[in-house]
Amino acid sequence: EAAMELPPSHYPASRAAALATGYACYRRGSPGRGLALRAVRRARRQDIDDAGRKYHLELVLEDVLDKDSTVNCTAEVLYHLDNKKIAPDVQFTIEGELKNTDEADNIFYNRIKTLEKELVAENIPDSHGNVSPEMEPIHLLAWVASGYVIWQNSKENTKFQLAQIKRVKQVKRSDEYLEFDYLILLHEMVSQEIIPWQMRVLWHPQHGVQVTQDSRQPKQASE
Amino acid sequence: DQVLHIVPETFQQVQHLQHLCSTLPLDLWKPLLPEDIWAGKDLHIRVPAPLVQEVKDSLDQHMISYKVLIPDVQELVDQSMPRERSSHRQVPEGYVYTQYHPMEEIYQWMTQIQKSNSELVTQHYLGKTIENRTMYYLQISQPSDKTKKIIWMDCGIHAREWISPAFCQWFVKEILQNYKSDPKISRFLQNLDLYILPVLNIDGYIYSWEKDRLWRKNRSPHMNGTCYGTDLNRNFNSSWGSIGVSYNCNSEIFCGSGPESEPETRAVAQFIKRKKSDILCYLTIHSYGQYILTPYGSTTKPPSNSEELMHVAEKAAAALMGKYGTSYEVGPTSLILYNNSGSSRDWAHVIGIPFSYTFELRDKGIHGFVLPPDQIQPTCEETM
């Protein structure tokens, strides 16, 4: 079936774009670099028999730490048929170079490696939206890792965003990797729900970010 | 005196900091007590001038890194002191519009604003919340012998959207500070009255300060007190309960037990119904997303004056972008976001108010509901 042009500002395009951005951020992000969606420039949709629905997107992504730094990104998102309980397929290409974050990554890596006691923190950002400079890489790491959770759990009628890190605990490791256990809060736009999600995140400057285990948590009983 | 910002990284560092606090006359700003100093948590500590060097040396010795948050406390204190009484001092002295304020302070602010601007501002009773708190709106009205059309703006219908009440307060301040000197504003007020409700969902707002930062709904009890809160923006009488809602109290989009079941909704609806023939424009301020949304949420069928509505909104978005380059998308909720019924904006249009808009302020999701205070000013300035 031929691809149909979609208005870029309407929600079918923006939901697929959010998913693609999360995935791209997961693949390319680090504690020194988070990517966010700046704009949808173009969107098309195509029904594929026996497979699902495919979105063709032209996006502009921005660097979370430097809003003036943007790149163009083309992406394809395939939402599988409902009966197949698998995550959407995402493919993307980023035009041009992303800022090199080796130096910042290495500084963060060494800082954590030389801590005497495992890092523990809560509420990032705090209620007023503040993130201390020391915690910014921890924040970005969660932003990048949440891209994985968003990718794995998105459907055409959902749009997820990381709302806040409830708590993070460093996990001791004997090898060269850094590992953190996060409890994050995801905001789902359509239902407006805040969903707690736990994830184990592995990172090394040369090996990228990996979510090795994750699980949805029950909402705390409201008082 | 200086204020230092430290994030202790190890337990040993925490212990050393606690030791410093107990042996030297240091002033803990955050946390309040030495026993609440934790690794990974922000520490703000005021150090008296004669001890600054000694404390810094000690921190260096223990490899504790610090930043100077305030290099000269006295200077800051002097700056925030009330200046000479001038005719421009129309707003409460020292009220910081670039910070988020708890409800107690907003109540005080409203009283102050009316007192210092009594020729223009009157505070009025609107109704009571489910927890029996009083809802007030401010009327900004230039005395004149002609009847004026009304622009209504409400903020804070959803508790967690803190930038929204911050915007209402900013808006009032801007109008009052500039109506004499700015010809656009003074012409505006010659022809229009402004009615501003700074916080619609007062109980929810307080709850988001005290218990759950990401709370959205009001605090009405259901199911024998085992579940709380109705989404006030699904509770208005516009296709109530038909789409984009939940009938389950546990949901964030629970539409309530019936249209206008909530006292907050009724307070607003009754007032607007009474004044509707004079209301030209209904504005409701939310976050986040950066949108100017037009009716409807419950259907994609466009409203009768859709062209005009879109035209005005597009001009607004362009003007907004002119300030800091921030882009806002414009269009009906049912196409841009999702389907929803029972929204205040849809209801206002349905009862006959021609210009009805929902503003979703900054940002697009990087901070979402927890927008840092340094974005209050640019957000408010561009939205003005």
Side-chain angles (χ1 to χ4, degrees), chain A residues 9-11 15 111 115-116 120 126-129 132 134 161 187 189 192-194 219 223, chain B residues 9 12 39-40 160 213 216 219 228 250 252 288 329 334-338 370-371 373:
Chain A
S9 64
H10 290 192
Y11 64 74
R15 287 175 197 174
R111 211 185 102 211
L115 288 180
E116 279 178 32
V120 170
D126 67 16
S127 281
H128 291 245
S132 69
E134 289 81 11
Q161 201 76 230
H187 172 227
M189 185 65 85
Q192 289 296 330
E193 292 296 331
I194 302 291
K219 197 161 103 168
E223 279 136 69
Chain B
E9 288 173 336
Q12 270 179 341
R160 58 196 181 199
R213 175 62 177 84
R216 167 182 168 90
R219 292 293 301 166
Y228 283 80
N250 286 296
E252 297 279 14
Y288 59 91
E329 303 276 8
S334 54
L335 293 178
I336 301 267
L337 275 191
Y338 40 54
V370 215
L371 193 68

mmCIF file of all heavy atoms in Angstrom, chain A residues 9-11 15 111 115-116 120 126-129 132 134 161 187 189 192-194 219 223, chain B residues 9 12 39-40 160 213 216 219 228 250 252 288 329 334-338 370-371 373:
data_model
loop_
_atom_site.group_PDB
_atom_site.id
_atom_site.type_symbol
_atom_site.label_atom_id
_atom_site.label_comp_id
_atom_site.label_asym_id
_atom_site.label_seq_id
_atom_site.Cartn_x
_atom_site.Cartn_y
_atom_site.Cartn_z
ATOM 1 N N SER A 9 2.303 17.881 12.750
ATOM 2 C CA SER A 9 1.966 18.337 14.105
ATOM 3 C C SER A 9 0.884 17.485 14.761
ATOM 4 O O SER A 9 0.571 17.669 15.925
ATOM 5 C CB SER A 9 1.515 19.795 14.080
ATOM 6 O OG SER A 9 0.328 19.908 13.328
ATOM 7 N N HIS A 10 0.307 16.553 14.013
ATOM 8 C CA HIS A 10 -0.753 15.738 14.593
ATOM 9 C C HIS A 10 -0.187 14.523 15.318
ATOM 10 O O HIS A 10 0.924 14.074 15.039
ATOM 11 C CB HIS A 10 -1.736 15.293 13.509
ATOM 12 C CG HIS A 10 -2.557 16.434 12.978
ATOM 13 N ND1 HIS A 10 -3.655 16.249 12.175
ATOM 14 C CD2 HIS A 10 -2.441 17.761 13.141
ATOM 15 C CE1 HIS A 10 -4.177 17.435 11.866
ATOM 16 N NE2 HIS A 10 -3.454 18.356 12.431
ATOM 17 N N TYR A 11 -1.016 13.997 16.217
ATOM 18 C CA TYR A 11 -0.460 13.023 17.156
ATOM 19 C C TYR A 11 0.028 11.703 16.576
ATOM 20 O O TYR A 11 0.943 11.109 17.133
ATOM 21 C CB TYR A 11 -1.411 12.764 18.335
ATOM 22 C CG TYR A 11 -2.740 12.131 18.002
ATOM 23 C CD1 TYR A 11 -2.830 10.768 17.671
ATOM 24 C CD2 TYR A 11 -3.914 12.872 18.044
ATOM 25 C CE1 TYR A 11 -4.050 10.192 17.383
ATOM 26 C CE2 TYR A 11 -5.133 12.299 17.756
ATOM 27 C CZ TYR A 11 -5.209 10.956 17.425
ATOM 28 O OH TYR A 11 -6.421 10.393 17.134
ATOM 29 N N ARG A 15 3.637 10.780 18.032
ATOM 30 C CA ARG A 15 3.853 9.598 18.871
ATOM 31 C C ARG A 15 4.942 8.702 18.288
ATOM 32 O O ARG A 15 5.815 8.216 19.006
ATOM 33 C CB ARG A 15 2.558 8.799 19.021
ATOM 34 C CG ARG A 15 1.565 9.492 19.929
ATOM 35 C CD ARG A 15 0.237 8.769 19.997
ATOM 36 N NE ARG A 15 -0.798 9.635 20.532
ATOM 37 C CZ ARG A 15 -2.089 9.313 20.594
ATOM 38 N NH1 ARG A 15 -2.492 8.122 20.153
ATOM 39 N NH2 ARG A 15 -2.964 10.159 21.085
ATOM 40 N N ARG A 111 35.350 9.633 37.900
ATOM 41 C CA ARG A 111 34.772 10.138 39.145
ATOM 42 C C ARG A 111 34.014 9.039 39.870
ATOM 43 O O ARG A 111 34.164 8.848 41.077
ATOM 44 C CB ARG A 111 33.809 11.279 38.823
ATOM 45 C CG ARG A 111 33.715 12.325 39.905
ATOM 46 C CD ARG A 111 32.650 13.341 39.546
ATOM 47 N NE ARG A 111 31.432 13.069 40.297
ATOM 48 C CZ ARG A 111 30.199 13.320 39.877
ATOM 49 N NH1 ARG A 111 30.001 13.835 38.682
ATOM 50 N NH2 ARG A 111 29.167 13.048 40.631
ATOM 51 N N LEU A 115 34.919 6.594 43.566
ATOM 52 C CA LEU A 115 34.103 6.836 44.765
ATOM 53 C C LEU A 115 34.412 5.759 45.788
ATOM 54 O O LEU A 115 34.552 4.591 45.455
ATOM 55 C CB LEU A 115 32.611 6.784 44.431
ATOM 56 C CG LEU A 115 32.014 7.944 43.639
ATOM 57 C CD1 LEU A 115 30.530 7.681 43.416
ATOM 58 C CD2 LEU A 115 32.212 9.252 44.365
ATOM 59 N N GLU A 116 34.452 6.159 47.051
ATOM 60 C CA GLU A 116 34.714 5.158 48.085
ATOM 61 C C GLU A 116 33.485 4.333 48.363
ATOM 62 O O GLU A 116 33.557 3.144 48.644
ATOM 63 C CB GLU A 116 35.166 5.850 49.361
ATOM 64 C CG GLU A 116 36.641 6.220 49.305
ATOM 65 C CD GLU A 116 37.089 6.962 50.548
ATOM 66 O OE1 GLU A 116 36.540 6.677 51.632
ATOM 67 O OE2 GLU A 116 37.975 7.810 50.421
ATOM 68 N N VAL A 120 24.439 7.014 45.638
ATOM 69 C CA VAL A 120 23.003 6.880 45.890
ATOM 70 C C VAL A 120 22.410 8.275 45.740
ATOM 71 O O VAL A 120 22.988 9.245 46.217
ATOM 72 C CB VAL A 120 22.751 6.377 47.333
ATOM 73 C CG1 VAL A 120 21.272 6.471 47.680
ATOM 74 C CG2 VAL A 120 23.233 4.961 47.496
ATOM 75 N N ASP A 126 14.799 17.709 41.201
ATOM 76 C CA ASP A 126 14.002 17.848 42.423
ATOM 77 C C ASP A 126 12.660 18.490 42.046
ATOM 78 O O ASP A 126 12.402 18.773 40.872
ATOM 79 C CB ASP A 126 14.760 18.640 43.490
ATOM 80 C CG ASP A 126 14.987 20.102 43.126
ATOM 81 O OD1 ASP A 126 14.330 20.616 42.205
ATOM 82 O OD2 ASP A 126 15.850 20.738 43.764
ATOM 83 N N SER A 127 11.834 18.728 43.074
ATOM 84 C CA SER A 127 10.487 19.239 42.787
ATOM 85 C C SER A 127 10.488 20.535 41.998
ATOM 86 O O SER A 127 9.543 20.833 41.282
ATOM 87 C CB SER A 127 9.735 19.499 44.094
ATOM 88 O OG SER A 127 9.256 18.290 44.596
ATOM 89 N N HIS A 128 11.541 21.312 42.162
ATOM 90 C CA HIS A 128 11.568 22.605 41.481
ATOM 91 C C HIS A 128 12.232 22.525 40.114
ATOM 92 O O HIS A 128 12.383 23.529 39.456
ATOM 93 C CB HIS A 128 12.268 23.643 42.371
ATOM 94 C CG HIS A 128 11.466 23.978 43.587
ATOM 95 N ND1 HIS A 128 10.930 25.223 43.808
ATOM 96 C CD2 HIS A 128 11.067 23.215 44.627
ATOM 97 C CE1 HIS A 128 10.260 25.204 44.953
ATOM 98 N NE2 HIS A 128 10.326 23.997 45.470
ATOM 99 N N GLY A 129 12.657 21.330 39.729
ATOM 100 C CA GLY A 129 13.244 21.172 38.409
ATOM 101 C C GLY A 129 14.755 21.268 38.400
ATOM 102 O O GLY A 129 15.378 21.226 37.344
ATOM 103 N N SER A 132 21.641 19.173 40.081
ATOM 104 C CA SER A 132 22.971 19.716 40.349
ATOM 105 C C SER A 132 23.920 19.281 39.239
ATOM 106 O O SER A 132 23.722 18.231 38.619
ATOM 107 C CB SER A 132 23.486 19.230 41.705
ATOM 108 O OG SER A 132 23.757 17.842 41.637
ATOM 109 N N GLU A 134 26.720 17.948 39.357
ATOM 110 C CA GLU A 134 27.298 16.624 39.615
ATOM 111 C C GLU A 134 26.360 15.504 39.205
ATOM 112 O O GLU A 134 26.790 14.419 38.852
ATOM 113 C CB GLU A 134 27.599 16.450 41.111
ATOM 114 C CG GLU A 134 28.759 17.269 41.619
ATOM 115 C CD GLU A 134 28.389 18.709 41.910
ATOM 116 O OE1 GLU A 134 27.161 19.033 41.918
ATOM 117 O OE2 GLU A 134 29.292 19.515 42.126
ATOM 118 N N GLN A 161 7.438 9.664 28.151
ATOM 119 C CA GLN A 161 8.513 10.619 28.389
ATOM 120 C C GLN A 161 9.029 10.337 29.799
ATOM 121 O O GLN A 161 8.240 10.006 30.684
ATOM 122 C CB GLN A 161 7.910 12.024 28.345
ATOM 123 C CG GLN A 161 8.877 13.137 28.082
ATOM 124 C CD GLN A 161 9.286 13.221 26.631
ATOM 125 O OE1 GLN A 161 10.464 13.287 26.308
ATOM 126 N NE2 GLN A 161 8.317 13.210 25.747
ATOM 127 N N HIS A 187 6.069 9.355 32.240
ATOM 128 C CA HIS A 187 4.779 10.007 32.026
ATOM 129 C C HIS A 187 4.216 9.505 30.704
ATOM 130 O O HIS A 187 4.913 9.551 29.676
ATOM 131 C CB HIS A 187 4.970 11.531 31.979
ATOM 132 C CG HIS A 187 3.728 12.264 31.563
ATOM 133 N ND1 HIS A 187 3.723 13.256 30.613
ATOM 134 C CD2 HIS A 187 2.444 12.144 31.978
ATOM 135 C CE1 HIS A 187 2.483 13.722 30.456
ATOM 136 N NE2 HIS A 187 1.698 13.069 31.271
ATOM 137 N N MET A 189 1.471 10.174 27.996
ATOM 138 C CA MET A 189 0.686 11.349 27.635
ATOM 139 C C MET A 189 -0.795 11.066 27.421
ATOM 140 O O MET A 189 -1.636 11.885 27.778
ATOM 141 C CB MET A 189 1.283 11.946 26.351
ATOM 142 C CG MET A 189 0.665 13.230 25.905
ATOM 143 S SD MET A 189 0.951 14.562 27.054
ATOM 144 C CE MET A 189 2.541 15.119 26.521
ATOM 145 N N GLN A 192 -2.209 9.977 30.722
ATOM 146 C CA GLN A 192 -1.700 10.901 31.740
ATOM 147 C C GLN A 192 -1.153 10.182 32.971
ATOM 148 O O GLN A 192 -0.954 10.797 34.013
ATOM 149 C CB GLN A 192 -2.775 11.929 32.146
ATOM 150 C CG GLN A 192 -3.067 12.959 31.076
ATOM 151 C CD GLN A 192 -1.856 13.831 30.774
ATOM 152 O OE1 GLN A 192 -1.021 14.089 31.637
ATOM 153 N NE2 GLN A 192 -1.723 14.275 29.534
ATOM 154 N N GLU A 193 -0.908 8.898 32.843
ATOM 155 C CA GLU A 193 -0.419 8.148 33.990
ATOM 156 C C GLU A 193 1.060 8.379 34.238
ATOM 157 O O GLU A 193 1.836 8.631 33.311
ATOM 158 C CB GLU A 193 -0.634 6.637 33.776
ATOM 159 C CG GLU A 193 -2.098 6.222 33.770
ATOM 160 C CD GLU A 193 -2.801 6.453 35.092
ATOM 161 O OE1 GLU A 193 -2.136 6.405 36.152
ATOM 162 O OE2 GLU A 193 -4.022 6.689 35.086
ATOM 163 N N ILE A 194 1.424 8.262 35.515
ATOM 164 C CA ILE A 194 2.825 8.276 35.918
ATOM 165 C C ILE A 194 3.164 6.839 36.293
ATOM 166 O O ILE A 194 2.563 6.280 37.218
ATOM 167 C CB ILE A 194 3.052 9.202 37.125
ATOM 168 C CG1 ILE A 194 2.609 10.634 36.798
ATOM 169 C CG2 ILE A 194 4.500 9.153 37.571
ATOM 170 C CD1 ILE A 194 3.457 11.357 35.789
ATOM 171 N N LYS A 219 1.950 1.137 40.869
ATOM 172 C CA LYS A 219 1.771 2.521 41.299
ATOM 173 C C LYS A 219 1.560 2.476 42.803
ATOM 174 O O LYS A 219 0.829 1.627 43.296
ATOM 175 C CB LYS A 219 0.531 3.084 40.604
ATOM 176 C CG LYS A 219 0.437 4.591 40.608
ATOM 177 C CD LYS A 219 -0.555 5.078 39.518
ATOM 178 C CE LYS A 219 -1.894 5.490 40.094
ATOM 179 N NZ LYS A 219 -2.741 6.206 39.119
ATOM 180 N N GLU A 223 -3.014 8.111 48.675
ATOM 181 C CA GLU A 223 -3.575 8.280 50.029
ATOM 182 C C GLU A 223 -4.979 8.839 49.943
ATOM 183 O O GLU A 223 -5.248 9.719 49.182
ATOM 184 C CB GLU A 223 -2.696 9.227 50.837
ATOM 185 C CG GLU A 223 -1.492 8.529 51.398
ATOM 186 C CD GLU A 223 -0.235 9.384 51.211
ATOM 187 O OE1 GLU A 223 -0.176 10.414 51.871
ATOM 188 O OE2 GLU A 223 0.614 9.016 50.402
ATOM 189 N N GLU B 9 30.090 12.698 48.136
ATOM 190 C CA GLU B 9 30.040 11.490 47.322
ATOM 191 C C GLU B 9 30.207 10.225 48.144
ATOM 192 O O GLU B 9 29.778 9.164 47.734
ATOM 193 C CB GLU B 9 31.116 11.550 46.227
ATOM 194 C CG GLU B 9 30.728 12.559 45.153
ATOM 195 C CD GLU B 9 31.837 12.787 44.149
ATOM 196 O OE1 GLU B 9 33.004 12.542 44.511
ATOM 197 O OE2 GLU B 9 31.540 13.220 43.037
ATOM 198 N N GLN B 12 32.401 8.853 54.090
ATOM 199 C CA GLN B 12 33.447 9.567 54.821
ATOM 200 C C GLN B 12 33.301 11.071 54.669
ATOM 201 O O GLN B 12 33.491 11.825 55.621
ATOM 202 C CB GLN B 12 34.817 9.148 54.298
ATOM 203 C CG GLN B 12 35.391 7.960 55.050
ATOM 204 C CD GLN B 12 36.738 7.555 54.478
ATOM 205 O OE1 GLN B 12 37.058 7.907 53.343
ATOM 206 N NE2 GLN B 12 37.512 6.831 55.253
ATOM 207 N N ALA B 39 25.063 11.207 51.192
ATOM 208 C CA ALA B 39 25.809 11.130 49.934
ATOM 209 C C ALA B 39 24.841 11.247 48.766
ATOM 210 O O ALA B 39 23.760 10.689 48.793
ATOM 211 C CB ALA B 39 26.564 9.804 49.861
ATOM 212 N N GLY B 40 25.266 12.012 47.790
ATOM 213 C CA GLY B 40 24.431 12.162 46.593
ATOM 214 C C GLY B 40 23.380 13.249 46.725
ATOM 215 O O GLY B 40 22.708 13.608 45.759
ATOM 216 N N ARG B 160 0.221 19.292 39.029
ATOM 217 C CA ARG B 160 1.661 19.168 38.804
ATOM 218 C C ARG B 160 2.230 20.183 37.834
ATOM 219 O O ARG B 160 3.449 20.300 37.701
ATOM 220 C CB ARG B 160 2.002 17.758 38.310
ATOM 221 C CG ARG B 160 1.283 17.327 37.025
ATOM 222 C CD ARG B 160 1.370 15.806 36.834
ATOM 223 N NE ARG B 160 0.729 15.363 35.609
ATOM 224 C CZ ARG B 160 0.342 14.101 35.390
ATOM 225 N NH1 ARG B 160 0.541 13.177 36.312
ATOM 226 N NH2 ARG B 160 -0.232 13.778 34.240
ATOM 227 N N ARG B 213 4.665 15.143 43.975
ATOM 228 C CA ARG B 213 4.951 16.215 43.011
ATOM 229 C C ARG B 213 4.212 16.029 41.703
ATOM 230 O O ARG B 213 3.891 16.993 41.024
ATOM 231 C CB ARG B 213 6.472 16.267 42.778
ATOM 232 C CG ARG B 213 6.933 17.245 41.706
ATOM 233 C CD ARG B 213 6.574 18.672 42.061
ATOM 234 N NE ARG B 213 7.075 19.612 41.084
ATOM 235 C CZ ARG B 213 6.455 19.933 39.953
ATOM 236 N NH1 ARG B 213 5.296 19.334 39.639
ATOM 237 N NH2 ARG B 213 6.968 20.823 39.138
ATOM 238 N N ARG B 216 -2.083 15.103 39.716
ATOM 239 C CA ARG B 216 -2.731 15.841 38.640
ATOM 240 C C ARG B 216 -4.139 16.322 38.990
ATOM 241 O O ARG B 216 -4.545 17.436 38.658
ATOM 242 C CB ARG B 216 -2.788 14.929 37.417
ATOM 243 C CG ARG B 216 -3.690 15.357 36.267
ATOM 244 C CD ARG B 216 -3.649 14.304 35.178
ATOM 245 N NE ARG B 216 -4.662 14.477 34.166
ATOM 246 C CZ ARG B 216 -4.489 15.202 33.047
ATOM 247 N NH1 ARG B 216 -3.361 15.840 32.843
ATOM 248 N NH2 ARG B 216 -5.472 15.288 32.177
ATOM 249 N N ARG B 219 -8.745 16.538 44.939
ATOM 250 C CA ARG B 219 -8.577 15.597 46.047
ATOM 251 C C ARG B 219 -9.909 15.094 46.564
ATOM 252 O O ARG B 219 -10.070 14.863 47.771
ATOM 253 C CB ARG B 219 -7.786 16.274 47.173
ATOM 254 C CG ARG B 219 -6.343 16.559 46.823
ATOM 255 C CD ARG B 219 -5.521 15.304 46.651
ATOM 256 N NE ARG B 219 -5.507 14.468 47.848
ATOM 257 C CZ ARG B 219 -5.087 13.203 47.894
ATOM 258 N NH1 ARG B 219 -4.638 12.628 46.797
ATOM 259 N NH2 ARG B 219 -5.110 12.532 49.029
ATOM 260 N N TYR B 228 -8.605 8.695 45.446
ATOM 261 C CA TYR B 228 -8.817 10.142 45.430
ATOM 262 C C TYR B 228 -8.658 10.757 44.049
ATOM 263 O O TYR B 228 -7.811 10.335 43.264
ATOM 264 C CB TYR B 228 -7.797 10.825 46.360
ATOM 265 C CG TYR B 228 -8.160 10.696 47.811
ATOM 266 C CD1 TYR B 228 -7.897 9.524 48.511
ATOM 267 C CD2 TYR B 228 -8.792 11.742 48.475
ATOM 268 C CE1 TYR B 228 -8.259 9.398 49.832
ATOM 269 C CE2 TYR B 228 -9.140 11.637 49.808
ATOM 270 C CZ TYR B 228 -8.880 10.461 50.491
ATOM 271 O OH TYR B 228 -9.244 10.336 51.806
ATOM 272 N N ASN B 250 -9.089 5.338 39.939
ATOM 273 C CA ASN B 250 -7.636 5.143 39.976
ATOM 274 C C ASN B 250 -6.921 5.763 38.788
ATOM 275 O O ASN B 250 -5.701 5.892 38.796
ATOM 276 C CB ASN B 250 -7.304 3.648 40.017
ATOM 277 C CG ASN B 250 -7.586 3.071 41.386
ATOM 278 O OD1 ASN B 250 -6.960 3.441 42.361
ATOM 279 N ND2 ASN B 250 -8.576 2.199 41.451
ATOM 280 N N GLU B 252 -5.772 8.676 36.060
ATOM 281 C CA GLU B 252 -5.453 10.100 36.063
ATOM 282 C C GLU B 252 -6.466 10.911 35.272
ATOM 283 O O GLU B 252 -6.507 12.132 35.390
ATOM 284 C CB GLU B 252 -4.065 10.341 35.446
ATOM 285 C CG GLU B 252 -2.938 9.705 36.206
ATOM 286 C CD GLU B 252 -2.505 10.533 37.413
ATOM 287 O OE1 GLU B 252 -3.223 11.450 37.823
ATOM 288 O OE2 GLU B 252 -1.418 10.240 37.947
ATOM 289 N N TYR B 288 2.697 20.202 29.862
ATOM 290 C CA TYR B 288 3.715 20.789 29.031
ATOM 291 C C TYR B 288 3.447 20.421 27.583
ATOM 292 O O TYR B 288 2.523 19.646 27.335
ATOM 293 C CB TYR B 288 5.090 20.283 29.470
ATOM 294 C CG TYR B 288 5.263 18.790 29.420
ATOM 295 C CD1 TYR B 288 5.760 18.125 28.286
ATOM 296 C CD2 TYR B 288 4.925 17.991 30.522
ATOM 297 C CE1 TYR B 288 5.902 16.746 28.246
ATOM 298 C CE2 TYR B 288 5.067 16.601 30.484
ATOM 299 C CZ TYR B 288 5.562 15.989 29.347
ATOM 300 O OH TYR B 288 5.687 14.611 29.315
ATOM 301 N N GLU B 329 3.039 24.552 18.632
ATOM 302 C CA GLU B 329 2.158 24.029 17.590
ATOM 303 C C GLU B 329 0.739 24.499 17.857
ATOM 304 O O GLU B 329 0.326 24.642 19.002
ATOM 305 C CB GLU B 329 2.161 22.495 17.608
ATOM 306 C CG GLU B 329 3.525 21.856 17.435
ATOM 307 C CD GLU B 329 3.938 21.718 15.983
ATOM 308 O OE1 GLU B 329 3.228 22.265 15.096
ATOM 309 O OE2 GLU B 329 4.955 21.103 15.714
ATOM 310 N N SER B 334 -8.097 17.346 19.430
ATOM 311 C CA SER B 334 -8.430 16.019 18.901
ATOM 312 C C SER B 334 -7.490 15.587 17.791
ATOM 313 O O SER B 334 -7.366 14.406 17.489
ATOM 314 C CB SER B 334 -9.862 16.008 18.373
ATOM 315 O OG SER B 334 -10.025 17.054 17.434
ATOM 316 N N LEU B 335 -6.805 16.535 17.164
ATOM 317 C CA LEU B 335 -5.865 16.164 16.108
ATOM 318 C C LEU B 335 -4.425 16.199 16.610
ATOM 319 O O LEU B 335 -3.590 15.394 16.222
ATOM 320 C CB LEU B 335 -5.986 17.128 14.920
ATOM 321 C CG LEU B 335 -7.300 17.065 14.154
ATOM 322 C CD1 LEU B 335 -7.301 18.096 13.033
ATOM 323 C CD2 LEU B 335 -7.530 15.678 13.569
ATOM 324 N N ILE B 336 -4.132 17.166 17.486
ATOM 325 C CA ILE B 336 -2.741 17.360 17.919
ATOM 326 C C ILE B 336 -2.340 16.400 19.032
ATOM 327 O O ILE B 336 -1.208 15.941 19.081
ATOM 328 C CB ILE B 336 -2.549 18.802 18.424
ATOM 329 C CG1 ILE B 336 -2.878 19.790 17.315
ATOM 330 C CG2 ILE B 336 -1.154 19.016 18.963
ATOM 331 C CD1 ILE B 336 -1.723 20.232 16.490
ATOM 332 N N LEU B 337 -3.280 16.158 19.971
ATOM 333 C CA LEU B 337 -2.884 15.406 21.173
ATOM 334 C C LEU B 337 -3.570 14.065 21.324
ATOM 335 O O LEU B 337 -2.940 13.034 21.405
ATOM 336 C CB LEU B 337 -3.201 16.229 22.420
ATOM 337 C CG LEU B 337 -2.173 17.247 22.891
ATOM 338 C CD1 LEU B 337 -2.565 17.735 24.275
ATOM 339 C CD2 LEU B 337 -0.779 16.661 22.923
ATOM 340 N N TYR B 338 -4.868 14.156 21.484
ATOM 341 C CA TYR B 338 -5.654 12.941 21.767
ATOM 342 C C TYR B 338 -7.104 13.376 21.887
ATOM 343 O O TYR B 338 -7.408 14.566 21.871
ATOM 344 C CB TYR B 338 -5.231 12.261 23.069
ATOM 345 C CG TYR B 338 -4.917 13.189 24.225
ATOM 346 C CD1 TYR B 338 -5.821 14.159 24.665
ATOM 347 C CD2 TYR B 338 -3.702 13.103 24.892
ATOM 348 C CE1 TYR B 338 -5.514 15.004 25.722
ATOM 349 C CE2 TYR B 338 -3.387 13.939 25.951
ATOM 350 C CZ TYR B 338 -4.298 14.885 26.363
ATOM 351 O OH TYR B 338 -3.979 15.723 27.414
ATOM 352 N N VAL B 370 8.426 19.120 35.614
ATOM 353 C CA VAL B 370 9.361 19.646 36.602
ATOM 354 C C VAL B 370 10.276 20.657 35.941
ATOM 355 O O VAL B 370 11.490 20.463 35.849
ATOM 356 C CB VAL B 370 10.169 18.494 37.253
ATOM 357 C CG1 VAL B 370 10.443 18.816 38.693
ATOM 358 C CG2 VAL B 370 9.413 17.196 37.201
ATOM 359 N N LEU B 371 9.689 21.744 35.468
ATOM 360 C CA LEU B 371 10.438 22.756 34.740
ATOM 361 C C LEU B 371 11.258 23.584 35.720
ATOM 362 O O LEU B 371 10.726 24.099 36.697
ATOM 363 C CB LEU B 371 9.450 23.651 33.974
ATOM 364 C CG LEU B 371 10.043 24.560 32.913
ATOM 365 C CD1 LEU B 371 10.570 23.747 31.741
ATOM 366 C CD2 LEU B 371 8.995 25.558 32.440
ATOM 367 N N PRO B 373 13.233 26.549 37.655
ATOM 368 C CA PRO B 373 12.806 27.939 37.845
ATOM 369 C C PRO B 373 13.484 28.929 36.895
ATOM 370 O O PRO B 373 12.924 29.970 36.599
ATOM 371 C CB PRO B 373 13.170 28.264 39.301
ATOM 372 C CG PRO B 373 13.810 27.065 39.866
ATOM 373 C CD PRO B 373 13.812 25.968 38.876
#
